[in-house]
Amino acid sequence: MSEWRKDLIVDRWVIIAPDRAGRPDEFRQQRPVAPSLAGGKCPFCEGNERSTPGEIAAVRERGSAADAPGWRVRVVPNKYPAVVEGAELAHPPGKPFECRPGAGVHEVIIESPRHRTLAGQLTAEEMSDVVGMYCQRLGQHRRLSRFACGLLFKNVGQAAGASLAHLHSQLVVLPMVPAVLQAELDGARRFANATGECVFCRMLQLERQADERVVEVTPGFVALCPYASRFAMETWIVPRQHSQHVDLLSTEAQVELAELLQRTLTKLERVLADPTYNMIVHTAPFDTNPVEHYHWHIEILPRQATAAGFEWGSGYHINTVSPEAAARLLQSAEIHHSPRQVDPI
Amino acid sequence: MSEWRKDLIVDRWVIIAPDRAGRPDEFRQQRPVAPSLAGGKCPFCEGNERSTPGEIAAVRERGSAADAPGWRVRVVPNKYPAVVEGAELAHPPGKPFECRPGAGVHEVIIESPRHRTLAGQLTAEEMSDVVGMYCQRLGQHRRLSRFACGLLFKNVGQAAGASLAHLHSQLVVLPMVPAVLQAELDGARRFANATGECVFCRMLQLERQADERVVEVTPGFVALCPYASRFAMETWIVPRQHSQHVDLLSTEAQVELAELLQRTLTKLERVLADPTYNMIVHTAPFDTNPVEHYHWHIEILPRQATAAGFEWGSGYHINTVSPEAAARLLQSAEIHHSPRQVDPI
């Protein structure tokens, strides 16, 4: 039996339809495996720094030179940017057609000097460096940028849209607040106007009471499968303290977040048949308009199913794994090592 | 150089970024090919009628029995429905969580008794039967249904979410107007209020003047690549006569539409590296609220790229093929046969 569920924050319905999981799939078992480009060819591996544009920032050994080995996390401009600083229009088409230059910034955050393709292969220290760099880059653009907001995301696996397997995140700085974030800002404002509360804070309270969809609670964060999960095994990480901007986390909180993120992604990678997902950091726009009702968080969207005609035609999602079942699977997923002690392959 | 373009009808921006088309892709060339289930195993092939639930409607040889060979188009309930008639909720969770039974209707329209996987393998007569069935099923639900609207779509290829390769369309009858259609209704109303015109009629006029994105014009229809195409090679078919409901087409217009659809899909299948796409029929809701400003149309969304963290995180799309280039490619795509004379393999 399927049911329609509405997201708490935005006006978005999903169909939870576990019975559909059993349908035949001629294409199953045919997911391609990424060839390893390690051993000289991967542009993101240590030693191949010249394959990318010059670095913008890095976590480096003291004394090592920019664009040379010796780094742990490295940030470079995207060689094939979707948006560029200072873009200008060639041929404005005139009303009612509307267009703007493809202005913005597009950076790549390379998460390890070694050819790592899954979060479970990173150490907690490596993940801490990555989260620290997320905060550094977002904070810098928020303080200095003339643009509207920063969208930080990661694509892991082909079905999630990755074109290179070596773990990397992307930061796109946008000239306008995107539709997805605007819908969340609007939803959070509606809820705050109606109840005087933050919808995310209220959700955490309700989810901890219900205890059906919570994966893990740490002093500062909750990992949970949201009530109206669009994707099978969808998982969010939400800070327990109400805050708009991820980049304002203390160094200690960054480390706690990194460890939780590492555990959560490792569990997902073990539970998923194909460890393929998008991870998206939802954080408030740069501008100083009041957004006190907003609450930053991270959404991990596994891509086991393919959005098809139904999803693109309706805007609704069909999810064949209920978030209650997803949370149970993740709770019982064993991590065979403490991430701090891992000896990475 | 990339540019932001806004859709005429809905508040939706895309980034047209042809330079990104050249980026490396470790996963390219690894697209799996569907194995043929023909020869006894495909549940949609003639002779295997018992593999599906009993038929709801069919175009059949005179005197042939239901659920037996002798059909040209066959409609059956989806064996793994996303929504079902008369669904009830097991455990309503209570406010502020919102849910509803997964109510609705989910039908499959099997487009040929033979194991055909591409539109180019259908004859124009077969496509006419299919379009006729689209109109019959949508019309029947519109007149008799207690639901809100019908979403008719087709998934071709694995990357487009198909689970069976044998050509089929799906009709999902929904208890509420989905977000995508509502945004179009709102956009069309806004434009009509501001200008007194239908935005789709105006678009056809402007596109025929500009003549940069039109693929083909017939007496009743225009095939074009829309100004703010989200997907590379995105193509719409729009009726020249203002009309809300596709199912009100005359039989002659259905045949004309089928022939244009067949030509357009065949061209797309020739031009695309991987003939993978979603086709979505956008038609007005069933209810009698005035929607005079709406204009039904068909959207064909090729799925060469995978929506990734950027798309899911922002709601924006990045398209690496400009619609002007797409229209030129389709205009010059040769169809080596007249669809009416094809000797199908």
Side-chain angles (χ1 to χ4, degrees):
Chain A
M1 184 59 71
S2 63
E3 73 182 41
W4 292 90
R5 294 187 178 191
K6 189 178 178 188
D7 184 71
L8 270 189
I9 299 122
V10 301
D11 187 15
R12 181 176 67 208
W13 288 87
V14 301
I15 303 174
I16 306 287
D19 295 346
R20 275 178 66 78
R23 68 192 188 285
D25 184 349
E26 281 186 71
F27 299 96
R28 202 173 284 164
Q29 305 297 347
Q30 291 193 66
R31 292 237 162 78
V33 174
S36 174
L37 285 188
K41 284 189 267 171
C42 172
F44 292 167
C45 280
E46 189 170 34
N48 297 346
E49 288 78 9
R50 301 203 168 190
S51 304
T52 68
E55 71 192 41
I56 299 165
V59 180
R60 286 197 158 275
E61 283 169 29
R62 192 184 295 262
S64 67
D67 297 323
W71 52 276
R72 299 201 302 276
V73 176
R74 187 164 177 259
V75 184
V76 298
N78 193 309
K79 201 167 174 178
Y80 302 90
V83 289
V84 290
E85 192 114 38
E88 283 179 33
L89 274 183
H91 305 291
K95 280 276 178 189
F97 292 120
E98 235 183 294
C99 74
R100 301 182 191 177
V105 175
H106 195 164
E107 299 178 356
V108 176
I109 299 167
I110 307 169
E111 302 186 11
S112 171
R114 293 163 305 152
H115 196 72
R116 297 288 177 255
T117 59
L118 293 174
Q121 298 165 335
L122 294 183
T123 63
E125 286 80 3
E126 287 180 301
M127 192 65 96
S128 289
D129 285 337
V130 170
V131 169
M133 188 57 85
Y134 287 174
C135 294
Q136 180 190 319
R137 296 311 302 155
L138 274 169
Q140 174 146 351
H141 284 294
R142 186 165 64 79
R143 285 186 302 273
L144 302 179
S145 170
R146 63 190 176 86
F147 293 114
C149 69
L151 175 65
L152 183 63
F153 61 93
K154 175 153 87 165
N155 304 329
V156 175
Q158 179 187 30
S163 49
L164 291 170
H166 189 132
L167 281 181
H168 63 285
S169 297
Q170 298 180 65
L171 172 59
V172 180
V173 179
L174 291 162
M176 42 199 172
V177 175
V180 168
L181 180 56
Q182 190 59 54
E184 284 183 356
L185 293 168
D186 293 346
R189 178 170 300 155
R190 267 196 310 274
F191 195 91
N193 288 347
T195 68
E197 286 184 295
C198 163
V199 65
F200 293 91
C201 291
R202 179 87 178 116
M203 176 182 67
L204 289 187
Q205 189 186 30
L206 291 164
E207 289 295 9
R208 294 196 61 193
Q209 282 167 11
D211 200 22
E212 282 191 295
R213 289 172 290 271
V214 171
V215 178
E216 184 177 348
V217 180
T218 70
F221 301 91
V222 178
L224 58 85
C225 299
Y227 174 72
S229 291
R230 291 154 287 178
F231 299 90
M233 308 299 302
E234 178 172 343
T235 308
W236 293 6
I237 293 180
V238 186
R240 293 169 66 181
Q241 189 174 342
H242 183 72
S243 167
Q244 288 75 54
H245 298 287
V246 63
D247 58 275
L248 295 179
L249 279 181
S250 69
T251 309
E252 292 71 28
Q254 288 176 18
V255 171
E256 187 187 332
L257 172 61
E259 289 178 354
L260 176 60
L261 196 54
Q262 224 266 351
R263 281 194 300 278
T264 306
L265 292 175
T266 302
K267 286 180 195 169
L268 272 169
E269 287 169 356
R270 281 174 197 274
V271 166
L272 298 174
D274 180 27
T276 273
Y277 55 86
N278 301 118
M279 186 184 97
I280 300 158
V281 177
H282 290 236
T283 189
F286 297 155
D287 71 23
T288 52
N289 290 327
V291 288
E292 285 89 23
H293 48 275
Y294 192 66
H295 192 130
W296 76 265
H297 61 286
I298 294 174
E299 301 188 2
I300 306 162
L301 312 178
R303 301 288 300 281
Q304 304 299 288
T306 303
F310 180 78
E311 286 79 3
W312 291 117
S314 68
Y316 298 141
H317 291 261
I318 301 172
N319 177 358
T320 60
V321 178
S322 78
E324 295 78 22
R328 282 195 301 274
L329 275 168
L330 290 175
Q331 283 157 8
S332 61
E334 277 184 47
I335 302 185
H336 297 291
H337 55 75
S338 148
R340 280 209 166 275
Q341 293 160 5
V342 67
D343 182 16
I345 56 167
Chain B
M1 182 59 70
S2 64
E3 71 182 43
W4 292 90
R5 292 187 179 192
K6 191 178 179 186
D7 184 73
L8 269 188
I9 299 120
V10 301
D11 187 13
R12 182 176 67 208
W13 288 86
V14 301
I15 303 174
I16 307 287
D19 295 345
R20 274 178 66 79
R23 68 191 188 286
D25 184 349
E26 281 186 71
F27 300 96
R28 200 171 284 163
Q29 305 296 347
Q30 291 193 65
R31 290 235 163 79
V33 175
S36 175
L37 286 188
K41 284 188 266 171
C42 172
F44 292 166
C45 280
E46 187 168 38
N48 297 347
E49 289 79 8
R50 300 201 169 192
S51 306
T52 68
E55 71 191 41
I56 299 165
V59 181
R60 286 196 157 277
E61 282 168 28
R62 192 182 295 261
S64 66
D67 297 323
W71 51 277
R72 299 203 302 277
V73 176
R74 187 165 177 261
V75 184
V76 298
N78 193 308
K79 201 168 175 178
Y80 303 89
V83 290
V84 292
E85 193 114 36
E88 283 178 32
L89 272 184
H91 306 289
K95 281 276 177 186
F97 292 119
E98 234 183 296
C99 75
R100 301 182 190 177
V105 175
H106 195 162
E107 300 178 354
V108 176
I109 299 166
I110 306 170
E111 302 185 12
S112 171
R114 294 162 303 151
H115 196 71
R116 297 289 177 254
T117 59
L118 292 175
Q121 298 165 336
L122 295 183
T123 63
E125 286 80 3
E126 286 180 300
M127 190 66 95
S128 288
D129 286 337
V130 171
V131 169
M133 188 57 84
Y134 287 174
C135 294
Q136 181 189 319
R137 296 308 303 154
L138 273 170
Q140 175 145 349
H141 285 292
R142 185 164 66 79
R143 286 186 300 273
L144 303 177
S145 170
R146 63 188 176 88
F147 293 113
C149 69
L151 176 64
L152 183 63
F153 61 93
K154 175 153 87 163
N155 305 328
V156 175
Q158 179 187 30
S163 50
L164 291 170
H166 189 131
L167 280 182
H168 63 287
S169 298
Q170 299 179 65
L171 172 60
V172 180
V173 180
L174 290 162
M176 42 197 173
V177 176
V180 168
L181 180 55
Q182 190 59 54
E184 284 183 356
L185 293 168
D186 293 346
R189 178 170 302 154
R190 265 196 311 273
F191 194 91
N193 288 347
T195 67
E197 287 184 294
C198 162
V199 64
F200 292 92
C201 291
R202 179 86 179 115
M203 176 182 67
L204 289 187
Q205 190 185 29
L206 290 166
E207 290 294 11
R208 295 195 63 193
Q209 282 167 11
D211 200 22
E212 282 190 296
R213 288 172 291 271
V214 170
V215 178
E216 185 177 349
V217 180
T218 70
F221 300 91
V222 177
L224 58 85
C225 299
Y227 174 71
S229 291
R230 292 153 287 177
F231 299 89
M233 307 301 300
E234 179 172 343
T235 308
W236 293 6
I237 293 179
V238 186
R240 293 170 65 179
Q241 189 174 341
H242 183 73
S243 167
Q244 287 75 55
H245 298 287
V246 64
D247 57 274
L248 296 178
L249 278 181
S250 71
T251 308
E252 293 70 27
Q254 288 175 19
V255 171
E256 186 188 334
L257 172 61
E259 290 178 353
L260 176 59
L261 195 53
Q262 224 266 352
R263 280 195 300 278
T264 306
L265 292 176
T266 302
K267 286 180 196 169
L268 270 169
E269 289 169 355
R270 282 174 198 273
V271 166
L272 297 175
D274 179 28
T276 274
Y277 54 87
N278 302 118
M279 187 185 96
I280 300 158
V281 178
H282 290 236
T283 188
F286 296 155
D287 71 23
T288 52
N289 289 326
V291 288
E292 284 89 23
H293 47 277
Y294 192 67
H295 191 130
W296 77 266
H297 61 287
I298 294 174
E299 301 188 1
I300 306 162
L301 311 178
R303 301 288 301 281
Q304 304 299 289
T306 304
F310 181 78
E311 286 79 3
W312 291 116
S314 67
Y316 298 142
H317 290 261
I318 301 172
N319 177 357
T320 60
V321 178
S322 77
E324 296 78 23
R328 281 194 302 272
L329 275 166
L330 290 174
Q331 284 158 7
S332 60
E334 276 183 49
I335 302 184
H336 296 292
H337 56 74
S338 148
R340 281 207 165 276
Q341 294 161 6
V342 68
D343 181 18
I345 55 169

